[in-house]
C-alpha cells in the first residue's frame, strides 16, 4: 500500500520544552487513524507539523512524498482545525465559493452545502453569525472543498451535541468508504475505538501504543474475575491462604476484596477460573470482565505517573 | 488569476460591509468638511483655495485612517480567529492573499476619494482642472502605500483591542500634528517642526500643492519613501520572528 504520510524521527521543542519526541509512523492510503491522547500529549503539534504549519526541530515529515508546505500537497489535503473561527463580513455561501476557488478540482457549491447540511437561508447568513454547531459544519464543508485525498480533523467533535457527533462520524465513515485517508485527533476514547481502524496512542509527546483498536485494548486492558467467597467470618487463615493461592497463579496482578466481592486481576482469566475450581475455593456468582479502552487508557496514564513519581 | 480576482472581490465585500469603514472613512471626513467650510468661519482670505485645500485634507485623513486601521485591525482579527492559520493550509499563496488585501483596500480608497471629492464639489463647488482632480486622486492613492505598510506593522500585534486603541491614537495624533485638521502654520513652532517630519504632513503637503496648482515637491516624496521602507522592514522583521516558532 502506498504511504500517504511519513514521519521519521520527528521531534519538536518549544522554548526548551519537548512537545514531541522522536515520533515515527506512516499513514497508508485509505486508512482511518486516530491520534489519541490526553491534553498536552503532543497530538496537535504532530498534526500541525503534518500540515506544514510548524517546522519539526529534527526529523522529516513527508506528505505524498513531498514537503507539507508544497503547493501540490496543499491542493490534495483538507483540514478542520481547532480554534479556527470563520472569516467575518461574508455569508456562508461566499466563504464556500472563496475557499473552493483555491483548488483545481473543487466540489460543487451544492455538494458543499449538502455536506454542511445548510438550508438556503443558512447559506445566506453571515458566517460569523452562525451558531457554534453551524460553524463547525461549515468548517467540515470547507475541509472538503478541494475534494482532498487526505483529511485532517483536529478534535473534531469537541463541543458538539451527541446528534451532531453521530452525524459527523457517519460522514467520516462515508468518506473512508470513498477511499479518503483520514487522520483525526481526539481525547474521546470511545470515538477512536469506534471510528478508526488504527489508533496512535500519544502520551507525553511519544507514541505509547500503535495498533488496531482491538490490539490496543487487549494489550492494555486488565481482565478480571470477580466472585463472592463464602469464607467463614474471621477465618483469617482461609482468607490469607486464598489470597496467597491466587497471587501465585502466573499472570495474576492483584487480588482484593471490595464490598464483599473478591476481584482477581490477571492477564488470563481462564487460569484464574481453573484455580478457583482446583483449590475448591467456595466461590459463587463468578463473573469475568474485560475493561474497555477507557480503562486501558486510565491504566496507562496512572502507570506512567507512578513511574514518574518513582523516578523523581 | 481566478484566485486573485475572487480574493479581491471578497476583500472589497468585507470592507464595504464593515460599518466602521462607512463611518470613519466616509461620514466623518464629510461631516468635518462641512463643519470647517460651511459652519465655522475660519476667516481665511481666499475661501475658494481654503475649500480646495481642506477637501484634500479630509480625503487624505479618510484614506490614511482606513490604511492604518482597517488593515491593521483586520490582520490581527484574522490572526486571533485562527483564520490566517487556516489560510496557510489552503493552496492560496500568501502573496496573492496579501496583494488582494492591498488591492481591495486601494479600490475602496479610490471609492472614498470619489465620494469625498463629489461631496466637496456639491457642497462648495470646489473648482479644479481635470488634471488637478485626477492628479490629487492619484497622489492620495499612491502615497497611501506607506500607511498601508504601517497598517501591516500594527497587524503584527497580538490583541484586537490594543491594536485598535494604539492605531487609533497614532492615526489621530498624526492627523492633527500633520495639519489635516488645522493648517500646520497655526501651530506653535515646536509642533510645526515635529509635524513637518511626520508622514501625515508630507502625505497632505503633496496633494495640497496639487490643489494649489503646483507639482508636489521632492521632499515629501523622499520622506514618504523613507517611511515606507522603515515600516516595511519592521513589519517583515517582526513577522519573520513570529513565524520562526
Amino acid at each position: 500500500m502506498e504511504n500517504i504520510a511519513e514521519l521519521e524521527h520527528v521531534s519538536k521543542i518549544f522554548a526548551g520544552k519537548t512537545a514531541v519526541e522522536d515520533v515515527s509512523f506512516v499513514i497508508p492510503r485509505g486508512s482511518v487513524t486516530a491520534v489519541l491522547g490526553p491534553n498536552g500529549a503532543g497530538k496537535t503539534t504532530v498534526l500541525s507539523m503534518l500540515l506544514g504549519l510548524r517546522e519539526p526541530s529534527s526529523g522529516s515529515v513527508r506528505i505524498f512524498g513531498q514537503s507539507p508546505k508544497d503547493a501540490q500537497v496543499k491542493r490534495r489535503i483538507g483540514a478542520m482545525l481547532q480554534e479556527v473561527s470563520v472569516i467575518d463580513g461574508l455569508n456562508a455561501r461566499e466563504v464556500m465559493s472563496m475557499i473552493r476557488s483555491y483548488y483545481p478540482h473543487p466540489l460543487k457549491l451544492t455538494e458543499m452545502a449538502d455536506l454542511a447540511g445548510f438550508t438556503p437561508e443558512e447559506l445566506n447568513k453571515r458566517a460569523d453569525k452562525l451558531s457554534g454547531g453551524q460553524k463547525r459544519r461549515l468548517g467540515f464543508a470547507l475541509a472538503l472543498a478541494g475534494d482532498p485525498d487526505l483529511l485532517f480533523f483536529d478534535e473534531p467533535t469537541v463541543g458538539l451535541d451527541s446528534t451532531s457527533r453521530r452525524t459527523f462520524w457517519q460522514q467520516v465513515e462515508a468518506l473512508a468508504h470513498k477511499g479518503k485517508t483520514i487522520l483525526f485527533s481526539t481525547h474521546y476514547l470511545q470515538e477512536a475505538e469506534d471510528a478508526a481502524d488504527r489508533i496512535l496512542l500519544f502520551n507525553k509527546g511519544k507514541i505509547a501504543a500503535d495498533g488496531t483498536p482491538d490490539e490496543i485494548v487487549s494489550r492494555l486492558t486488565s481482565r478480571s474475575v470477580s466472585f463472592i467467597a463464602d469464607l467463614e467470618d474471621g477465618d483469617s487463615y482461609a482468607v490469607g491462604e486464598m489470597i496467597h493461592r491466587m497471587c501465585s497463579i502466573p499472570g495474576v496482578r492483584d487480588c482484593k476484596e471490595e464490598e464483599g466481592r473478591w476481584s482477581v486481576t490477571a492477564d488470563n482469566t481462564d487460569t484464574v477460573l481453573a484455580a478457583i475450581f482446583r483449590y475448591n475455593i467456595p466461590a459463587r456468582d463468578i463473573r469475568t470482565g474485560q475493561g474497555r479502552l477507557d480503562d486501558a487508557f486510565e491504566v496507562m496514564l496512572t502507570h506512567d505517573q507512578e513511574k514518574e513519581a518513582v523516578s523523581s | 488569476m481566478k484566485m486573485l480576482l475572487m480574493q479581491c472581490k471578497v476583500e472589497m465585500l468585507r470592507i464595504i460591509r464593515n460599518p466602521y469603514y462607512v463611518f470613519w472613512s466616509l461620514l466623518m471626513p464629510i461631516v468635518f468638511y462641512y463643519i470647517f467650510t460651511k459652519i465655522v468661519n475660519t476667516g481665511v482670505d481666499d475661501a475658494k483655495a481654503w475649500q480646495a485645500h481642506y477637501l484634500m485634507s479630509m480625503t487624505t485623513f479618510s484614506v490614511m485612517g482606513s490604511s492604518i486601521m482597517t488593515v491593521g485591525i483586520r490582520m490581527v482579527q484574522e490572526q486571533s480567529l485562527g483564520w490566517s492559520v487556516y489560510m496557510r493550509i489552503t493552496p492560496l499563496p500568501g502573496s496573492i492573499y496579501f496583494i488582494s488585501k492591498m488591492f481591495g483596500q486601494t479600490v475602496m480608497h479610490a471609492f472614498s476619494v470619489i465620494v469625498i471629492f463629489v461631496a466637496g464639489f456639491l457642497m462648495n463647488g470646489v473648482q479644479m482642472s481635470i488634471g488637478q482632480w485626477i492628479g490629487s486622486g492619484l497622489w492620495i492613492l499612491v502615497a497611501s502605500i506607506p500607511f498601508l505598510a504601517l497598517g501591516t506593522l500594527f497587524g503584527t500585534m497580538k490583541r484586537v483591542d490594543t491594536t485598535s486603541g494604539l492605531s487609533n491614537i497614532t492615526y489621530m495624533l498624526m492627523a492633527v500634528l500633520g495639519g489635516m485638521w488645522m493648517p500646520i502654520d497655526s501651530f506653535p513652532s515646536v509642533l510645526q517642526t515635529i509635524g513637518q517630519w511626520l508622514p501625515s504632513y508630507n502625505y497632505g503637503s503633496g496633494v495640497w500643492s496639487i490643489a494649489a496648482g503646483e507639482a508636489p515637491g521632492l521632499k515629501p516624496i523622499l520622506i514618504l519613501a523613507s517611511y515606507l521602507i522603515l515600516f516595511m522592514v519592521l513589519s517583515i522583521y517582526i513577522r519573520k520572528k513570529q513565524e520562526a516558532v
Side-chain angles (χ1 to χ4, degrees):
Chain A
M1 244 193 310
E2 188 198 340
N3 287 330
I4 295 285
E6 290 172 327
L7 266 85
E8 275 174 29
H9 303 292
V10 168
S11 298
K12 179 72 193 176
I13 297 160
F14 290 116
K17 233 183 133 237
T18 307
V20 170
E21 194 180 344
D22 195 26
V23 165
S24 302
F25 62 84
V26 297
I27 302 288
R29 178 183 290 281
S31 59
V32 180
T33 308
V35 176
L36 176 66
N39 288 330
K43 293 174 301 208
T44 298
T45 312
V46 166
L47 245 61
S48 50
M49 287 191 287
L50 279 164
L51 286 165
L53 293 173
R54 293 196 188 282
E55 201 65 48
S57 305
S58 63
S60 88
V61 180
R62 313 292 284 172
I63 308 266
F64 306 120
Q66 285 163 304
S67 155
K69 293 193 170 175
D70 198 291
Q72 294 292 340
V73 172
K74 290 182 182 176
R75 291 191 186 112
R76 292 175 62 192
I77 65 169
M80 247 173 106
L81 304 176
Q82 267 187 100
E83 285 158 25
V84 167
S85 196
V86 286
I87 196 161
D88 59 286
L90 296 176
N91 66 35
R93 176 181 312 175
E94 287 160 348
V95 177
M96 288 182 185
S97 316
M98 176 180 85
I99 298 292
R100 64 186 286 283
S101 77
Y102 303 160
Y103 296 91
H105 306 291
L107 294 183
K108 291 196 193 76
L109 201 58
T110 50
E111 290 175 302
M112 287 178 70
D114 286 344
L115 281 167
F118 278 1
T119 61
E121 294 91 76
E122 284 171 322
L123 277 176
N124 286 328
K125 228 172 144 182
R126 288 285 176 85
D128 49 355
K129 301 270 190 300
L130 294 169
S131 74
Q134 288 170 330
K135 280 183 188 165
R136 205 67 77 84
R137 272 151 48 204
L138 176 62
F140 180 70
L142 296 183
L144 287 159
D147 194 16
D149 297 321
L150 171 61
L151 278 153
F152 295 91
F153 300 116
D154 194 8
E155 304 274 2
T157 57
V158 171
L160 290 188
D161 60 40
S162 57
T163 318
S164 323
R165 227 173 249 200
R166 202 160 39 243
T167 317
F168 175 78
W169 290 118
Q170 278 164 0
Q171 286 177 314
V172 168
E173 207 183 324
L175 290 170
H177 273 298
K178 280 195 209 157
K180 309 272 186 209
T181 308
I182 296 162
L183 190 83
F184 68 91
S185 72
T186 182
H187 58 257
Y188 293 122
L189 320 167
Q190 192 66 53
E191 288 189 338
E193 204 180 342
D194 293 344
D197 49 41
R198 177 188 181 193
I199 294 178
L200 288 168
L201 188 54
F202 270 76
N203 193 28
K204 297 194 166 73
K206 289 187 217 171
I207 297 183
D210 174 1
T212 65
D214 285 347
E215 279 168 7
I216 302 271
V217 168
S218 61
R219 195 180 313 169
L220 288 167
T221 42
S222 54
R223 294 146 211 249
S224 66
V225 178
S226 74
F227 54 85
I228 294 170
D230 289 323
L231 299 167
E232 281 169 42
D233 274 346
D235 190 348
S236 62
Y237 174 74
V239 172
E241 176 152 301
M242 186 183 73
I243 294 175
H244 177 71
R245 289 212 156 123
M246 286 295 151
C247 290
S248 53
I249 304 166
V252 167
R253 287 189 225 138
D254 194 20
C255 174
K256 61 172 191 287
E257 189 206 351
E258 241 172 58
E259 292 169 16
R261 277 192 86 81
W262 285 88
S263 129
V264 181
T265 312
D267 294 340
N268 187 343
T269 49
D270 294 347
T271 55
V272 176
L273 286 173
I276 288 173
F277 296 118
R278 191 172 347 121
Y279 299 125
N280 273 323
I281 288 168
R284 61 183 169 84
D285 191 16
I286 301 171
R287 297 176 202 162
T288 60
Q290 179 172 19
R292 300 270 294 165
L293 191 59
D294 289 47
D295 301 340
F297 197 56
E298 219 73 52
V299 165
M300 189 202 80
L301 293 181
T302 46
H303 197 63
D304 254 46
Q305 272 157 13
E306 275 162 20
K307 263 202 298 199
E308 195 179 50
V310 167
S311 63
S312 64
Chain B
M1 196 60 206
K2 201 180 92 199
M3 269 190 213
L4 185 64
L5 284 177
M6 181 63 160
Q7 208 56 31
C8 292
K9 185 185 124 191
V10 160
E11 289 299 335
M12 282 187 273
L13 270 177
R14 289 176 66 201
I15 297 169
I16 195 87
R17 283 179 185 167
N18 181 354
Y20 294 104
Y21 165 75
V22 178
F23 180 77
W24 285 104
S25 303
L26 298 178
L27 209 59
M28 272 260 292
I30 293 174
V31 168
F32 265 58
Y33 184 67
Y34 186 77
I35 293 172
F36 285 100
T37 57
K38 295 288 253 193
I39 299 174
V40 179
N41 184 5
T42 38
V44 279
D45 309 331
D46 187 346
K48 280 288 154 204
W50 165 247
Q51 285 164 359
H53 176 95
Y54 204 62
L55 185 62
M56 296 308 136
S57 304
M58 282 301 110
T59 317
T60 49
F61 174 61
S62 157
V63 172
M64 182 173 86
S66 80
S67 302
I68 301 174
M69 309 251 306
T70 315
V71 170
I73 297 174
R74 184 125 292 180
M75 283 171 77
V76 179
Q77 242 167 13
E78 286 175 7
Q79 191 75 40
S80 62
L81 290 177
W83 187 256
S84 43
V85 173
Y86 185 77
M87 294 310 259
R88 280 169 60 198
I89 64 164
T90 68
L92 181 77
S95 54
I96 291 202
Y97 185 57
F98 185 77
I99 290 169
S100 33
K101 239 183 195 355
M102 294 304 140
F103 179 80
Q105 198 70 39
T106 305
V107 171
M108 293 322 298
H109 291 166
F111 179 72
S112 309
V113 168
I114 292 168
V115 169
I116 299 170
F117 278 9
V118 167
F121 180 77
L122 294 178
M123 271 186 234
N124 287 320
V126 173
Q127 293 290 335
M128 292 199 298
S129 71
I130 294 286
Q132 275 175 307
W133 282 116
I134 294 175
S136 320
L138 281 179
W139 171 272
I140 291 171
L141 291 186
V142 174
S144 73
I145 296 174
F147 300 100
L148 289 171
L150 180 58
T152 62
L153 186 57
F154 279 115
T156 60
M157 293 176 69
K158 290 272 180 285
R159 290 166 45 118
V160 174
D161 35 2
T162 44
T163 312
S164 80
L166 257 178
S167 57
N168 213 328
I169 292 169
T170 313
Y171 168 42
M172 288 304 161
L173 272 179
M174 287 214 304
V176 172
L177 290 176
M180 286 180 175
W181 286 6
M182 281 291 136
I184 196 167
D185 320 333
S186 57
F187 294 172
S189 66
V190 182
L191 288 184
Q192 277 193 40
T193 323
I194 297 174
Q196 277 173 8
W197 289 98
L198 287 177
S200 49
Y201 173 78
N202 290 283
Y203 186 33
S205 92
V207 74
W208 291 324
S209 308
I210 299 176
E214 299 156 19
L218 193 61
K219 194 180 156 202
I221 295 175
L222 287 178
I223 292 178
L224 285 173
S226 317
Y227 274 112
L228 171 64
I229 292 167
L230 174 73
F231 295 147
M232 264 172 50
V233 167
L234 275 177
S235 156
I236 291 170
Y237 172 75
I238 295 174
R239 201 146 280 269
K240 286 269 176 256
K241 236 183 134 176
Q242 285 171 343
E243 273 175 16
V245 177

